[in-house]
Amino acid sequence: MGAGKRGLVTVAVTVVCAVTVLAAPGTAFAAPTPTPTPSASATPVTNKDLEAVRTQLDALYHDAAVATDQYNAAEEAADQQSAAIVALAKKIVKGQEKLAELKQRAGAAAAAQYRSGGLPDEAQLMLSDDPEDFLNGAGRVLQGQRATKGLLAEMTRTQEDLEQYAEDASSQWNKLEANRKAKAAAKKKVKKQIAAAEELESKLEKEEKERLARLEQQAAYKAQTAWLDSGILAEIDGKASTQGKKAVEYATSQIGKPYEWGAEGPGSYDCSGLTSQAWASAGQPIPRTSQEQWKQLKKIDIKDMRPGDLIIYNSDASHVAMYLGDGAIVHAPRPGRTVTIAGAGSMPILAVVRPDA
């Protein structure tokens, strides 16, 4: 691991890594303190019991993350539909104003024809004292008729446009209402899953919570070690782009801020809120949710990964983190946690995507 790669990680990252997560070069992660066996006098909650609790908590927070993505997607879609409805409303107003003007002009043309008496051209020629004046007038009448015909055609087109705008606005409104309902349902599910997880954790004693935390660290360490033992880190030597460096700088400067579902800063974040805002700060807007980041951004082979790239986790793309280099990521883990450093291989990797590809 070269010094150049480590230089991308801020002082805050280095301190956190040195104390809690990252170890010296060659090991990448330090093993957490083994969970002590409970004494005979302690409440008989075994490590197996706590492991079952950990598995249940992971499932609850995973479902909360999925629902959070659904909430964020519905919110983003609703915002876009609201903007579309406003734009269509402006077009309808302009179209109505144009139609009123066209009707006024058409009415004036019809009145002019009425004043001419509606006589046939032959009769007007016979009544005219000056045939040349009549011919000039007949030319103007013909032009007027053509202009009136053009006005009527334009009125028809404008009326058709107004009908289409109204139809589009109605469609967008129906989608908006559907997304509002989806957003409300997702919000309800998020709160339900988090409440269930918090209730489960509240039943643990302080010592049991500490042991549970150590079990979580051990599980993450085991997964990270297996990932590093594959030799993958030796193949990763990509250097961050200029935008990537800015995104990393933003993300690492948020370390310590709390996770909050649906949040995208500046005081708190969910996982995709952190990554989307980090890249927005680098001048590269990306999709809001981890699932859309996975779907829309360019896929990169893990061995080609460089700082600033995003790692998508879990088979359903329900979590995302930013790669920092040296096998580390920065991410907003879950409710009750803060933006922190972790091992890139501590969770099941689905894909790596590059925002500035």
Side-chain angles (χ1 to χ4, degrees):
M1 300 177 215
K5 290 172 66 181
R6 267 188 220 96
L8 292 171
V9 185
T10 63
V11 174
V13 174
T14 304
V15 172
V16 172
C17 292
V19 174
T20 60
V21 187
L22 295 180
T27 59
F29 273 76
T33 305
T35 303
T37 304
S39 64
S41 61
T43 304
V45 177
T46 66
N47 284 358
K48 185 177 180 180
D49 294 332
L50 286 176
E51 186 62 34
V53 171
R54 186 183 73 82
T55 300
Q56 191 174 351
L57 284 173
D58 283 348
L60 289 169
Y61 282 125
H62 170 267
D63 289 347
V66 172
T68 296
D69 235 24
Q70 293 169 347
Y71 175 90
N72 291 334
E75 182 176 50
E76 188 174 37
D79 288 344
Q80 292 172 351
Q81 284 143 13
S82 295
I85 290 171
V86 170
L88 286 167
K90 289 179 179 179
K91 286 183 178 180
I92 289 172
V93 170
K94 288 183 179 179
Q96 289 172 334
E97 290 174 350
K98 181 179 180 181
L99 187 60
E101 180 189 353
L102 290 171
K103 285 181 177 179
Q104 186 177 16
R105 287 166 57 188
Q113 286 185 348
Y114 175 78
R115 284 194 297 271
S116 71
L119 294 173
D121 291 347
E122 296 85 352
Q124 290 194 38
L125 176 60
M126 290 175 65
L127 295 173
S128 174
D129 294 331
D130 189 338
E132 186 175 351
D133 285 346
F134 165 75
L135 292 174
N136 290 334
R140 287 192 296 273
V141 169
L142 184 59
Q143 290 174 355
Q145 289 174 340
R146 288 173 178 168
T148 301
K149 186 177 180 181
L151 277 173
L152 293 174
E154 191 171 359
M155 283 171 62
T156 300
R157 286 195 301 271
T158 302
Q159 186 66 49
E160 289 173 350
D161 287 344
L162 283 170
E163 290 173 359
Q164 185 61 55
Y165 294 154
E167 185 178 334
D168 291 345
S170 177
S171 175
Q172 290 291 347
W173 182 264
N174 289 335
K175 290 178 182 178
L176 175 62
E177 287 300 298
N179 275 301
R180 282 175 175 166
K181 290 179 181 178
K183 182 178 170 183
K187 182 178 182 179
K188 185 177 180 181
K189 185 175 181 180
V190 173
K191 289 188 172 183
K192 180 181 178 181
Q193 299 302 108
I194 292 175
E198 290 174 343
E199 182 181 2
L200 181 60
E201 288 182 293
S202 70
K203 294 177 181 179
L204 299 174
E205 298 294 335
K206 180 180 178 182
E207 183 270 339
E208 292 165 354
K209 289 179 181 178
E210 291 172 353
R211 286 167 54 205
L212 178 62
R214 286 192 290 270
L215 283 174
E216 291 176 348
Q217 291 172 2
Q218 288 171 4
Y221 172 76
K222 183 178 179 180
Q224 174 72 357
T225 300
W227 184 69
L228 292 175
D229 286 348
S230 70
I232 188 64
L233 202 57
E235 299 181 41
I236 301 174
D237 61 357
K239 295 182 179 180
S241 65
T242 300
Q243 283 185 309
K245 290 178 182 177
K246 290 180 180 178
V248 166
E249 182 180 353
Y250 180 96
T252 53
S253 68
Q254 310 309 309
I255 289 173
K257 292 185 178 180
Y259 176 102
E260 181 182 358
W261 68 271
E264 47 189 332
S268 57
Y269 298 87
D270 61 22
C271 67
S272 57
L274 177 65
T275 54
S276 60
Q277 287 303 304
W279 272 100
S281 74
Q284 181 68 47
I286 63 173
R288 170 65 177 87
T289 69
S290 59
Q291 291 182 345
E292 289 304 311
Q293 290 171 9
W294 170 60
K295 290 177 184 178
Q296 296 185 34
L297 302 180
K298 184 178 180 180
K299 308 292 189 302
I300 299 296
D301 195 294
I302 290 180
K303 66 181 177 61
D304 298 323
M305 195 161 54
R306 68 190 188 194
D309 287 344
L310 305 182
I311 304 180
I312 309 296
Y313 292 97
N314 304 322
S315 60
D316 54 5
S318 56
H319 190 67
V320 61
M322 180 178 292
Y323 185 61
L324 298 177
D326 289 343
I329 57 170
V330 59
H331 70 146
R334 65 168 175 80
R337 301 293 171 80
T338 61
V339 176
T340 190
I341 304 298
S346 60
M347 296 170 282
I349 296 175
L350 174 64
V352 178
V353 296
R354 179 164 294 165
D356 61 340

